[in-house]
Amino acid sequence: MNVKTKEGASLLIGTISAICVAAVAVLAKMEWWMAVLSAAAVFSIISLASLGIMYKYVAYKLKPIYSIVFSREVHSTEILDELKDKHVENISKELSAWADDNDKEIARLKESEKFRKQYLGNVAHELKTPIFNIQGYISTLLDGGLEDDLINRKYLERTEKSIDRLINIINDLDTISRLESDLTSMHFQTFDIVALAKEIADQFEMEAANKGITITVKGANALPSPFYVTADKHYIGQVLVNLIVNTIRYGKRDGHTVIKFRDMIDKILIEVEDNGIGIGKEDIPRVFERFYRTDKGRSREQGGTGLGLAIVKHIIEGHNERITLRSTLGEGSTFAFTLKKADYEHKQSNPAGRQ
């Protein structure tokens, strides 16, 4: 007899009571049929009574727990209705699962709170540097530097540079906020990803040439290319801008940047490869975090906000895709991501990538 259920326990109590009554009847030398009848009556009455008492007791014990679970006052009748359809051990499992879920949620909220505090601290730190620089330059000018032709223009140029850095940080923060709050604002269309990469590479050709870096877009000599994707063209353009700018900022002098494309059946793989300074193995898992820098001093010197790769990650994930990084310190890095391959018939009827 299973005593793990309320029904089994009540039957066991009834059986023990019936046996006791039968034993007393035998000792009292009662007729056998009277002994059996008495034992059966006691069994039925005790079993039903104990079952009812157990229901009431369990409901009494569960009431405060259910009130916490449902965040409201729970009536005993609700719990009794619940007990009719479930064994106590099943309810225990459900409550244990609820407790586990809440533990996980609490852990997640604590992690979010930790991340929020760290994020606010990083934002304050990043904004503080250009603001203090601007304050210092302006104070120097107001204290007499404005009349000194040797420093006034130099300090004004430095002030402008710090203001530009401040604007870049604010713009990147605004971009991340928009991406986090409303990824549904993306406008998907079909376009030639090679042509877009070539267009963006051409925009940074002069900046790359200043460091002797050559930017090569594989397949751009035979446009339109066979690599059409369905994505948000504006945001994917921003991804390519950020990745290409990174290869220029952290690339070696007289180095190279290569953008390659591969057909992956239902997706197109895009790789942005350079032979720059590379990234250490311990830094690779964190490069997509906001404000994370592998070399903080050099990054600020290059004008980076520390948000570029975080924006890239948000955009790619907004397309339900992933971005990965392969890198060796001192040898270079390769960022790779996939995009949904455009329908072949759509490409044929719309070769320019128009909607």
Side-chain angles (χ1 to χ4, degrees), residues 65-274:
I65 299 174
Y66 268 74
S67 295
I68 294 171
V69 171
F70 294 123
S71 300
R72 63 178 176 82
E73 185 64 29
V74 176
H75 297 292
S76 298
T77 52
E78 294 181 68
I79 300 175
L80 290 172
D81 289 339
E82 190 82 7
L83 290 171
K84 287 178 181 177
D85 302 321
K86 296 180 181 177
H87 294 303
V88 174
E89 63 271 19
N90 292 338
I91 294 174
S92 175
K93 289 178 183 177
E94 289 183 3
L95 292 175
S96 296
W98 174 84
D100 289 341
D101 290 342
N102 273 269
D103 286 341
K104 292 176 183 177
E105 181 66 14
I106 289 169
R108 187 189 68 79
L109 290 172
K110 285 181 178 178
E111 187 64 27
S112 297
E113 178 67 9
K114 178 183 175 182
F115 176 77
R116 185 188 67 81
K117 289 178 179 178
Q118 185 180 31
Y119 177 55
L120 289 175
N122 287 334
V123 171
H125 180 73
E126 293 296 327
L127 293 176
K128 180 174 66 176
T129 303
I131 288 173
F132 281 3
N133 287 343
I134 292 168
Q135 184 184 41
Y137 298 143
I138 292 176
S139 295
T140 301
L141 292 172
L142 291 175
D143 289 342
L146 194 61
E147 284 74 31
D148 188 338
D149 292 338
L150 294 176
I151 67 169
N152 56 11
R153 184 173 184 82
K154 179 171 68 175
Y155 273 44
L156 285 172
E157 288 175 349
R158 289 180 180 177
T159 300
E160 182 184 33
K161 186 176 179 180
S162 292
I163 291 172
D164 288 341
R165 174 167 163 68
L166 198 59
I167 291 171
N168 289 336
I169 292 173
I170 292 170
N171 285 339
D172 283 351
L173 285 170
D174 180 60
T175 299
I176 285 184
S177 296
R178 282 188 284 107
L179 286 170
E180 286 182 334
S181 61
D182 188 16
L183 285 173
T184 59
S185 62
M186 290 188 177
H187 301 290
F188 289 78
Q189 65 184 102
T190 296
F191 59 92
D192 187 337
I193 186 64
V194 179
L196 178 63
K198 175 61 176 172
E199 178 185 332
I200 292 171
D202 289 345
Q203 295 174 17
F204 293 97
E205 187 176 16
M206 290 184 62
E207 185 177 339
N210 290 334
K211 289 185 66 174
I213 295 174
T214 58
I215 303 176
T216 304
V217 180
K218 294 285 187 179
N221 56 340
L223 294 176
S225 79
F227 299 104
Y228 277 74
V229 297
T230 300
D232 186 300
K233 189 174 183 179
H234 167 74
Y235 279 122
I236 295 302
Q238 192 168 353
V239 167
L240 292 171
V241 166
N242 287 349
L243 293 179
I244 291 172
V245 167
N246 261 16
T247 67
I248 297 171
R249 283 178 179 163
Y250 309 114
K252 294 177 181 177
R253 183 162 290 280
D254 299 323
H256 64 258
T257 296
V258 181
I259 306 172
K260 299 182 288 186
F261 309 88
R262 294 184 187 177
D263 192 323
M264 306 290 287
I265 303 177
D266 61 335
K267 296 181 185 293
I268 300 296
L269 175 69
I270 301 99
E271 294 181 309
V272 180
E273 177 185 295
D274 66 62

Side-chain angles (χ1 to χ4, degrees), residues 294-340:
T294 57
D295 184 345
K296 294 178 173 57
R298 183 166 183 178
S299 295
R300 290 195 179 92
E301 182 184 328
Q302 298 291 341
T305 65
L307 292 167
L309 291 180
I311 290 173
V312 165
K313 182 173 181 284
H314 272 293
I315 292 173
I316 298 302
E317 288 182 350
H319 286 74
N320 295 318
E321 303 291 345
R322 291 178 63 249
I323 183 165
T324 59
L325 167 63
R326 306 189 305 275
S327 186
T328 303
L329 199 60
E331 296 183 13
S333 305
T334 301
F335 288 90
F337 62 95
T338 54
L339 292 175
K340 184 180 178 182

Side-chain angles (χ1 to χ4, degrees), residues 54-65:
M54 285 183 198
Y55 268 115
K56 290 287 186 180
Y57 179 74
V58 172
Y60 171 76
K61 288 294 186 182
L62 288 178
K63 186 175 180 179
I65 299 174

